Amino acid sequence: LGRMKPVIVVHGGAGRIFKEREEGCRAGVVRAALRGYSVLKRGGSAVDAVEEAVQSMEDDPHFNAGCGSVLNEKGEVEMDAIIMDGKNLDSGAVSAVKCIANPIKLARLVMEKTKHMLLTDHGAHLFAQAVGIPEIPGEKLITERSRERWKKNLEPDSNPEEFQKDLGTVGAVAIDSEGNVACATSTGGLSNKLIGRVGDTACIGSGGYADNHSGATSTTGHGESIMKVVLARLILYHMEQGMSPEVAADTALDYMKTRVGGLGGVIVVNKAGEWAARFSTKQMSWATVKDDNLHYGICAGEEHIKSVDEALASEREGF
């Protein structure tokens, strides 16, 4: 068996990215992609790589996941995350979790240490205690920006939908040198959502899906729309029918837009290591590493390419 060339693709969320946040989002997805790629270069698994990349973005306050998550109606952070292994279709997810820095780590442990696939709220919290994941004060996850936005959305004449365009779910997909694929997705959800609202991210086939027979995808955008069309699985279905990652992604996003009026974005890798990053929103921050080249962008048609060595050097000097 010829060894695969590893590939990683990450997204930092589809929506509208405000000018003053563009640089931080670009730097954040680039850092995540480089970190995931270094796992793959060392011979690490696709599952390890996507977990590492997503953790990097959860820790980055620019993104709506982990630290920097948006607040629910009560002003609290409730997060969802999923991870999936394309080798045996194992998956782990958590929903409505609070007071944890890295929900993706907890999702990984659900996959590996339980017979279940999804743990929620209080049960996820008990499981986190049992496996020794430290609890952090909820305030630690709340940024000034999230609190400001929450307050704005509470005003009588506000329109939370306006703000929900700036979503920022994070995700990663990868193929490792063994040809195994994986996906991971993590989010703080919708700003001012009802307590206990769970979106697409924690739902297998919607927020992500990975199958060695076809590929892997992670989604971002309007969760309820994504769930209606089971977007991640739909993309893999199109690839199984022979479409390239790019055409499959565009076809599925187009269907979601015409059928239910939903906008979003996706990253895809197929079993041959071909990748795509596509979106129907104004913007989506994304980055890919393949063949020791880094590609990244935010706006439609934008693609910068650097060698990994060059990118790592500027990473060290601080973007």
Side-chain angles (χ1 to χ4, degrees):
L1 265 172
R3 283 170 76 70
M4 277 300 300
K5 281 189 172 158
V7 181
I8 186 149
V9 195
V10 307
H11 70 73
R16 175 187 61 179
I17 296 161
F18 298 104
K19 264 282 174 271
E20 73 276 8
R21 301 177 59 75
E22 270 189 25
E23 267 325 287
C25 287
R26 238 182 233 114
V29 287
V30 164
R31 185 179 308 119
L34 291 170
R35 277 177 57 174
Y37 191 65
S38 75
V39 170
L40 296 170
K41 280 299 262 197
R42 294 196 297 268
S45 69
V47 173
D48 284 342
V50 294
E51 181 185 17
E52 178 70 30
V54 164
Q55 194 186 318
S56 167
M57 292 183 285
E58 285 177 340
D59 292 340
D60 186 329
H62 281 93
F63 303 109
N64 174 17
C67 176
S69 288
V70 298
L71 311 187
N72 67 12
E73 55 175 358
K74 228 176 88 182
E76 297 175 333
V77 166
E78 284 187 314
M79 301 165 292
D80 305 332
I82 194 169
I83 192 163
M84 185 167 183
D85 184 343
K87 187 165 37 184
N88 47 17
L89 306 189
D90 274 352
S91 177
V94 292
S95 67
V97 295
K98 304 182 183 79
C99 305
I100 282 174
N102 297 110
I104 199 64
K105 274 189 174 164
L106 191 55
R108 171 89 187 252
L109 290 168
V110 170
M111 173 168 83
E112 290 182 348
K113 303 245 186 268
T114 77
K115 292 194 172 73
H116 306 312
M117 284 172 70
L118 172 58
L119 290 180
T120 192
D121 197 356
H122 183 59
H125 170 77
L126 293 176
F127 175 69
Q129 283 179 326
V131 293
I133 290 214
E135 215 181 295
I136 61 166
E139 293 71 67
K140 275 240 157 78
L141 298 170
I142 299 178
T143 57
E144 196 40 53
R145 178 168 177 270
S146 292
R147 196 177 290 291
E148 280 306 299
R149 171 195 284 187
W150 173 70
K151 281 202 194 107
K152 263 208 181 78
N153 285 346
L154 290 178
E155 291 165 10
D157 57 349
S158 84
N159 173 12
E161 266 73 56
E162 236 337 273
F163 285 92
Q164 288 165 4
K165 292 195 174 77
D166 175 25
L167 289 163
T169 295
V170 306
V173 295
I175 187 165
D176 60 30
S177 54
E178 307 282 310
N180 293 313
V181 298
C183 71
T185 313
S186 180
T187 191
L190 288 181
S191 191
N192 296 63
K193 63 190 178 181
L194 294 182
I195 291 164
R197 177 265 187 186
V198 176
D200 65 295
T201 299
C203 301
I204 188 171
S206 293
Y209 202 82
D211 183 349
N212 282 6
H213 294 165
S214 43
T217 180
S218 168
T219 66
T220 166
H222 184 245
E224 281 72 13
S225 299
I226 291 170
M227 291 158 95
K228 287 174 186 176
V229 302
V230 197
L231 186 63
R233 193 64 192 81
L234 182 59
I235 292 166
L236 292 195
Y237 166 78
H238 286 318
M239 293 202 300
E240 287 155 6
Q241 305 302 305
M243 288 185 191
S244 70
E246 188 162 309
V247 175
D250 287 347
T251 304
L253 283 168
D254 195 48
Y255 176 71
M256 182 167 83
K257 191 173 176 178
T258 52
R259 187 70 178 85
V260 297
L263 300 180
V266 299
I267 50 173
V268 191
V269 64
N270 70 7
K271 63 180 182 187
E274 300 167 320
W275 62 274
R278 310 292 294 169
F279 47 98
S280 53
T281 49
K282 261 211 165 78
Q283 289 151 310
M284 179 179 80
S285 53
W286 63 273
T288 307
V289 186
K290 181 180 180 173
D291 291 334
D292 287 318
N293 277 317
L294 164 77
H295 307 244
Y296 61 97
I298 284 189
C299 301
E302 175 193 350
E303 185 172 343
H304 307 278
I305 305 177
K306 280 182 180 178
S307 76
V308 163
D309 291 343
E310 189 190 340
L312 284 169
S314 59
E315 192 55 21
R316 278 190 289 274
E317 290 151 23
F319 237 68

